Every structure is written in C-alpha cells, then in structure tokens.
Amino acid sequence: MRRYRIAFALMVVLCAGILGYSYATTSAGGAVSTYQQQADLPDDERTSVAEPRENVTVIAGHGQNGESAALVAFAPSGEVLYYDDSFHGYFDVDPVEGESRTVEYVAERNYAGDDCDGPCTISAVERVNLTTGEVTPIYSQVIPQDRGANWHDVDRLDDSRLLVGDIFRDEVYVVNTTTGLTEWEWTAKTDFPLSGGGTYPADWAHLNDVERLPDGRYMFSLRNQDQVVFVDPETGLQSDWTLGAEDEYGVLYEQHNPDYVPESHGGPSAIVADSLNDRIVEYQRVNGSDGDGGEWKQSWVWSDDEMKWPRDADRLPNGNTLIADTNAHRVVEVNESGDVVWRANTYAPYDVERLGTGDESAGGRSAESADLRSRGPNDSEELNDTATVAGYTPRKVTNSLAFVLPLWMSYADAAVAVLLAVSLLTWAVVEYRNASVSVSFRWPVRFE
C-alpha cells in the first residue's frame, strides 16, 4: 500500500471515531430521551435527573425539525413530573393564577388539512395540569408557513381574553376566546419602516414576545429590529420608551423575551435575553418612572464561556436569575454573585418557568435594587457597555448552523465532518490520477 493511502486511512478513521464518539455521548438529546423514559415510569419508580430545587421548574423546548421538542417539568425533588412531545415546538409557558401545578403554553405542529392551501402550522394555546396530565385546549389557529408562521408568546389578560403575538402578521391582537372576536390590535408596520428588519413580508419583524405591564401598557419584542417597544392600548407606540435601535448591536442584538420589573420592585427595568450578543442584560430606566419619561441605562449583564443564544431569563424572588440558554442546550440558575447554582440539560430550551415565584420576573427585583453582580465569559470579569458587542455576522452564522446540524453535532463536530468529506474526496481524486486504467469520456465509452 502506498504511503498516501496509510495517511488518508488514518485521517478517515480518526475523523469517523471523533464523530462516532460525539454521536454516542450527546448530552442534550440524551437528556430529553431520559426525561421521556422517566415520565413513562410509575411515580414511585422515578429517580432524580436534576438537582433538587424549591418548587416545580417547567421548560419549553422548541427542538430541531421536530426532534427533541418537549415540554418537561421537574418536581422539587429533581424527578420528572411531566413530559409531553406531541407538538414539534414549545415556546412560552406561564403559570395559571390560583393553581399550583397548572400551566398554559404556546406550541405548534405541522398541518396539512383541506382548509390549508400548501404547508401550514397549527399554533395553539393549551393548559395542562402537571400532576394529572389533563390537557385543555384554549385557542388555536391554522396559519400558512410561507412567512414566519408560529406564535412565540401569548399573555393572558383575564379569564376570556388573550394577548397574542402573531409573527405571521407582524402584529399583536387581543382575542376573546369565548366569542372568537378580535377586540384590539396593533401592527408593527404602522410604526416601523418595511425597509428595516428582515426581508418583507417573510419574517419581517419576528415579534417574539408580548407582555401586559402592571400599569396597563403592553411591551413587545421586535427581534429583527433589535428593539423592545412599549405601546399604550389607547394612544399607540410610546417611542420615547423604546429600548434599543436597529443595528445598534451594543444595546440589543436580535433579543428574546424581555421581562419588565416595575417601580414597586426597584424598576422600571427590563431583563432581556440578548440572544446574538450571547448574554443576559438588564436596563434600568433612569430620570423617570412607570409611564413617564427618562432613558435606559445598562445596570447588569451576565454571560459565561458556554452561553450560546439565550432566549429567556426570569428574575426570581430570592435574587437568582433563571436562564434558558438555547444553543448551549441547558437551563441554568445563577445567584446574586453570578455563580451557577443549578443546571438542567435539555435540547434547545426556549422558555423556563419556576412555579410559585410569579409569572416570569413578576416576583423578582431589579438588579440595581438587589445589588446583583455582573459577570462576563471569563469567570468573574465584570462587563461594561461594550464588552460583548457582537460583530455583524459571525455569531449569527454559527447560531444559524445550530438549526441545520444534526441533533448530536457541535460546531467542532461539523468541522471534523467537513475534514472527513474533504479527505475522502481528495483520496478518491488521488486514486483516480494514479490509476493504471484511464477513461476516455467519449461516446461510446472506450477503455484504453
């Protein structure tokens, strides 16, 4: 055997071995499988799969191409309390007022019925009792998939009304689930230029979060405009309250799930999953109060070496922050000093809720009033306003790759796979060039 064959064979074996090891030891996908297996066992046979924590923790994971998408709940003991994967994506999850172990969630699955011209999605709001497993449908719509179909957040206003963030229509509306009537609506297209954001009309604004504030205003997240906006349902957009600006990546970069902390809890402030800056950041409203003027100033930021595209952060009453770190496939809880004190591995978590602590960050205080310590990727290094400013493309490219790669494959594995493919192709070319038989590509084919 020629020496080059030995070299190529060693390279192929090495690359294949690395990929095989990664496939066999994938933690995120394996964790989801473990949760499902545990949920299938009788209650008295389940074992702890997470560290004990006070009260129930619920995680909504959106998965990848329908793989490993699951709604999973951990009991305070760390055992799996509930598991469901009947949808191919789970997004917002909220506690139900007056219920200790019941939540409402937003989810989606593909739909191909006669009432849909082409591929469609069912976006649905459902309620589930985590103890009994009883599911109650609340509201749903069949939506075409031609331009950003799904809902990522719905906020309950009262017993019969929901505030819906509609990505497909780039708008927010209030629907009465008893009558089916739309009682109020706001569209981003009336206040923002179509030349900004994504390519119109396909996923132009990507409106991924809606929240009613204690003072009656609404707060929305326009991911593709890099802005969190505030709307008075009577007077419209409050432009002087807007947090961020398009392409000002040092403030926000395609953010998700902002939580509002009112003045009564040390705010006004907004805790934001600053996704493409790979950080959780909080901004304090200064020289103003709820509903009044002022400006936003960064008051807290947290990140570490693992963080990749976080999409939710809730401030808990004890001062800790619960974080869904999507492309690092984990949920972490960090304390007031910035140390990780709890972790659960799960594939692509989108939203996380700790029951008994209030809806999202409603029970927590602002970072400024709680004197929280900022942390950056280098362990205890504090961040300033420019320390995590993202570039124009690298993070966006790498995070987009996460939705294309197989469930078990990391970025490093993808590089190894490319090396394997190049090695095999090069080997084939070398073998062809060194072959004693040549082929003449004429018709008919002749061997010389």
Side-chain angles (χ1 to χ4, degrees):
M1 179 180 285
R2 296 183 180 182
R3 291 181 178 178
Y4 76 83
R5 289 176 178 164
I6 297 176
F8 278 122
L10 289 174
M11 180 64 71
V12 169
V13 170
L14 177 62
C15 291
I18 293 173
L19 295 176
Y21 177 80
S22 294
Y23 178 81
T25 59
T26 301
S27 62
V32 175
S33 298
T34 299
Y35 303 153
Q36 182 177 18
Q37 293 166 4
Q38 286 288 312
D40 290 338
L41 295 174
D43 292 349
D44 58 356
E45 294 182 18
R46 298 181 189 180
T47 59
S48 295
V49 294
E51 291 294 320
R53 218 69 196 148
E54 69 282 359
N55 225 313
V56 174
T57 305
V58 188
I59 302 172
H62 68 75
Q64 171 183 310
N65 299 322
E67 294 184 80
S68 294
L71 183 73
V72 58
F74 301 105
S77 62
E79 297 175 3
V80 174
L81 175 65
Y82 177 83
Y83 179 93
D84 180 59
D85 61 1
S86 57
F87 288 87
H88 75 242
Y90 294 84
F91 299 95
D92 177 57
V93 57
D94 295 320
V96 173
E97 187 175 357
E99 300 285 343
S100 62
R101 293 196 174 187
T102 299
V103 297
E104 282 187 356
Y105 56 86
V106 178
E108 66 172 15
R109 59 170 160 248
N110 293 332
Y111 178 79
D114 295 336
D115 55 341
C116 175
D117 184 15
C120 288
T121 292
I122 290 182
S123 287
V125 179
E126 295 187 342
R127 179 177 294 187
V128 60
N129 183 307
L130 300 172
T131 302
T132 66
E134 181 182 359
V135 175
T136 304
I138 301 297
Y139 177 65
S140 65
Q141 277 195 351
V142 175
I143 308 173
Q145 289 183 5
D146 57 349
R147 54 185 183 102
N150 48 20
W151 304 334
H152 282 188
D153 191 23
V154 171
D155 202 23
R156 177 162 290 281
L157 301 184
D158 55 37
D159 288 343
S160 60
R161 296 187 305 148
L162 299 174
L163 181 68
V164 180
D166 193 326
I167 292 177
F168 179 77
R169 295 189 291 183
D170 301 307
E171 70 178 33
V172 181
Y173 62 90
V174 174
V175 61
N176 187 309
T177 57
T178 301
T179 64
L181 298 177
T182 297
E183 298 182 353
W184 177 90
E185 61 185 341
W186 174 84
T187 175
K189 290 173 283 191
T190 61
D191 290 296
F192 292 87
L194 298 182
S195 58
T199 302
Y200 185 83
D203 201 17
W204 169 65
H206 201 92
L207 197 156
N208 62 29
D209 190 74
V210 295
E211 182 177 338
R212 180 179 59 176
L213 307 185
D215 58 18
R217 293 180 298 157
Y218 300 145
M219 180 178 70
F220 311 138
S221 170
L222 305 181
R223 188 198 72 177
N224 290 348
Q225 280 77 11
D226 308 307
Q227 295 171 59
V228 176
V229 301
F230 295 77
V231 173
D232 186 307
E234 299 295 332
T235 61
L237 180 71
Q238 296 182 315
S239 57
D240 59 331
W241 268 78
T242 298
L243 171 57
E246 187 159 4
D247 297 337
E248 287 193 9
Y249 300 137
V251 182
L252 294 174
Y253 192 7
E254 296 200 0
Q255 75 291 330
H256 287 76
N257 288 340
D259 282 357
Y260 184 82
V261 179
E263 191 171 8
S264 61
H265 283 65
S269 72
I271 307 162
V272 190
D274 192 8
S275 302
L276 280 180
N277 277 327
D278 294 331
R279 65 180 183 176
I280 305 300
V281 65
E282 183 170 347
Y283 288 92
Q284 182 80 19
R285 190 77 176 170
V286 297
N287 300 323
S289 59
D290 287 357
D292 295 327
E295 60 181 0
W296 295 105
K297 180 180 180 181
Q298 184 179 301
S299 57
W300 179 79
V301 62
W302 190 91
S303 183
D304 66 3
D305 293 326
E306 291 186 60
M307 184 163 277
K308 294 184 183 70
W309 208 41
R311 292 204 283 179
D312 186 38
D314 293 353
R315 180 68 38 73
L316 304 178
N318 62 3
N320 293 358
T321 306
L322 195 60
I323 299 167
D325 192 2
T326 300
N327 281 350
H329 309 305
R330 61 175 184 162
V331 169
V332 294
E333 182 180 341
V334 300
N335 65 15
E336 294 169 301
S337 299
D339 299 320
V340 174
V341 295
W342 185 80
R343 173 177 179 144
N345 292 329
T346 189
Y347 190 79
Y350 184 90
D351 194 29
V352 59
E353 190 75 33
R354 177 71 50 74
L355 301 187
T357 63
D359 184 8
E360 298 178 334
S361 296
R365 298 194 62 80
S366 70
E368 186 173 273
S369 65
D371 196 26
L372 302 189
R373 181 181 179 183
S374 293
R375 281 207 172 188
N378 298 320
D379 295 328
S380 61
E381 179 185 353
E382 291 195 9
L383 294 175
N384 55 42
D385 288 343
T386 60
T388 58
V389 176
Y392 282 93
T393 59
R395 286 177 179 170
K396 194 165 187 176
V397 170
T398 55
N399 279 298
S400 297
L401 281 174
F403 291 98
V404 179
L405 298 177
L407 174 65
W408 55 271
M409 186 177 285
S410 67
Y411 302 139
D413 293 328
V416 172
V418 171
L419 180 59
L420 175 61
V422 171
S423 299
L424 289 171
L425 179 62
T426 305
W427 191 357
V429 170
V430 172
E431 289 286 359
Y432 172 76
R433 285 177 170 243
N434 290 337
S436 58
V437 177
S438 63
V439 179
S440 177
F441 293 100
R442 299 174 185 173
W443 185 259
V445 174
R446 293 185 299 124
F447 293 90
E448 301 174 348

